[in-house]
Amino acid sequence: MNTQARGVGRTIWVATRAMALLTLVLGVGYTLVITGIGQVALPAQTNGSILTDEDGDPVGSSLIGQSFTDADGEPLPEYFQSRPSAAGDGYDGGASSGSNLGPENADLIAAIAERTSHVAEFNGVTEADVPADAVTASASGLDPHISPEYAAIQIGRVAQARGVPVEQVRELVAAHTQGPDVGYLGESRVNVLELNLALGEWEG
């Protein structure tokens, strides 16, 4: 019986030491090594791809969309607007999701119609000029990009609100338009926060 007890005790002691060693090596050591490599090789991405204003204060991440509205939730005409978000109250990283409504859902159809009318009126274009991403949320609700087509219909409104030439804003949009990854993956896109930061200070 004593021999059996000693065997069980030894097994527990070996298992405890193995668990402690693996925790240190894989739980702590591995994490520190990977974090260190990330800080050296890709510091911006490792720290969340944070964007800052002219004073160096963080205003958001290039990976997560946000709204550009006033205190009442109305879109600010001097800034490019993001696509709609169904994540929580909008762009909520803790509630990332789409609307989960099917294309024939009556509520979704009504929402798209209302958004289309609002976007067209806000930007001074026809409803036929409003692209799909201007009135539909992404699957995550956190998409930081809009299509070049959506950016294009906002150029005139932003230029007028800021009192600058339309061509100047158009060139800025072109400079912030990213092509497909490695030339063919995905579609061309415009990062809204990066573009608005280029327009002028955005305090978030």
Side-chain angles (χ1 to χ4, degrees):
M1 188 67 178
N2 290 337
T3 300
Q4 184 179 4
R6 285 197 297 270
V8 172
R10 182 176 183 280
T11 300
I12 294 174
W13 174 234
V14 170
T16 300
R17 285 188 298 172
M19 183 181 68
L21 178 61
L22 291 174
T23 298
L24 288 174
V25 173
L26 300 178
V28 179
Y30 176 78
T31 302
L32 291 175
V33 169
I34 295 302
T35 301
I37 292 174
Q39 290 290 349
V40 173
L42 301 166
Q45 292 85 341
T46 301
N47 293 304
S49 300
I50 301 299
L51 299 178
T52 59
D53 59 18
E54 296 176 351
D55 297 324
D57 297 323
V59 293
S61 169
S62 64
L63 303 177
I64 299 179
Q66 61 176 272
S67 59
F68 297 88
T69 57
D70 60 22
D72 296 322
E74 295 298 321
L76 294 167
E78 66 269 29
Y79 288 106
F80 283 85
Q81 297 298 310
S82 305
R83 66 184 302 178
S85 171
D89 292 329
Y91 309 101
D92 182 354
S96 175
S97 70
S99 67
N100 293 325
L101 299 178
E104 297 183 1
N105 182 275
D107 291 337
L108 179 61
I109 293 173
I112 289 176
E114 182 179 354
R115 291 170 185 164
T116 301
S117 176
H118 176 74
V119 171
E121 180 180 359
F122 186 59
N123 291 287
V125 299
T126 67
E127 292 189 5
D129 293 324
V130 178
D133 64 303
V135 295
T136 56
S138 65
S140 68
L142 305 176
D143 193 344
H145 301 100
I146 58 174
S147 66
E149 292 75 19
Y150 187 22
I153 69 170
Q154 301 186 63
I155 290 174
R157 182 250 305 158
V158 171
Q160 181 178 10
R162 289 180 173 271
V164 298
V166 169
E167 190 58 34
Q168 180 179 332
V169 180
R170 182 175 289 111
E171 290 176 357
L172 198 60
V173 170
H176 285 81
T177 300
Q178 304 168 311
D181 294 330
V182 298
Y184 65 92
L185 293 177
E187 300 179 355
S188 296
R189 58 204 184 276
V190 180
N191 188 291
V192 184
L193 178 56
E194 291 180 353
L195 178 58
N196 283 337
L197 281 174
L199 281 171
E201 183 177 354
W202 170 249
E203 298 178 351

